[in-house]
Amino acid sequence: VIRLSTSDPEFKRKKATVKAAGYRFFGETRTWYPKAMSLGAYYDLLSGHDWYHGYADDPRVYHRGVGNQTLLKEIAKQSPEHQALFDGFLNHFFSGHPWTVEKEPLPARP
């Protein structure tokens, strides 16, 4: 995943390079991501996501989490395996004692 700043004087050149390398732009988060992301790389993104951003006191944390989760959902559309990983992480983080359901295991890294 790549984030480019429009204030960077090299923005146009970097954008062309990233686009030529087969990345797709996701406007909501201003992020470039590979058109065909490997399951291992996607797993790493899911692992680094703040799944509890909705409970943040800081609106910046909340909005960043919403944007990142939207990007993760977009990437999940790449294949049924990507979607299964997303669902597995979601089920893991929103299960257990606070939700009064049995804790789901974290998916294994592909």
Side-chain angles (χ1 to χ4, degrees), residues 38-51:
S38 73
L39 289 173
Y42 186 52
Y43 186 93
D44 293 340
L45 284 178
L46 292 167
S47 295
H49 177 59
D50 178 6
W51 291 95

Side-chain angles (χ1 to χ4, degrees), residues 22-99:
Y23 279 70
R24 182 176 287 159
F25 183 69
F26 186 69
E28 194 167 322
T29 59
R30 303 181 62 136
T31 305
W32 291 84
Y33 67 95
K35 289 181 182 175
M37 181 175 281
S38 73
L39 289 173
Y42 186 52
Y43 186 93
D44 293 340
L45 284 178
L46 292 167
S47 295
H49 177 59
D50 178 6
W51 291 95
Y52 301 119
H53 64 272
Y55 301 101
D57 293 332
D58 186 340
R60 293 170 298 180
V61 172
Y62 170 78
H63 290 292
R64 184 174 47 245
V66 168
N68 286 338
Q69 187 158 340
T70 304
L71 173 63
L72 292 171
K73 287 179 184 179
E74 184 69 22
I75 296 170
K77 295 176 184 176
Q78 289 185 6
S79 74
E81 292 82 10
H82 285 80
Q83 185 65 52
L85 269 180
F86 180 86
D87 293 340
F89 269 84
L90 191 65
N91 291 337
H92 170 75
F93 283 102
F94 294 98
S95 63
H97 179 71
W99 288 272

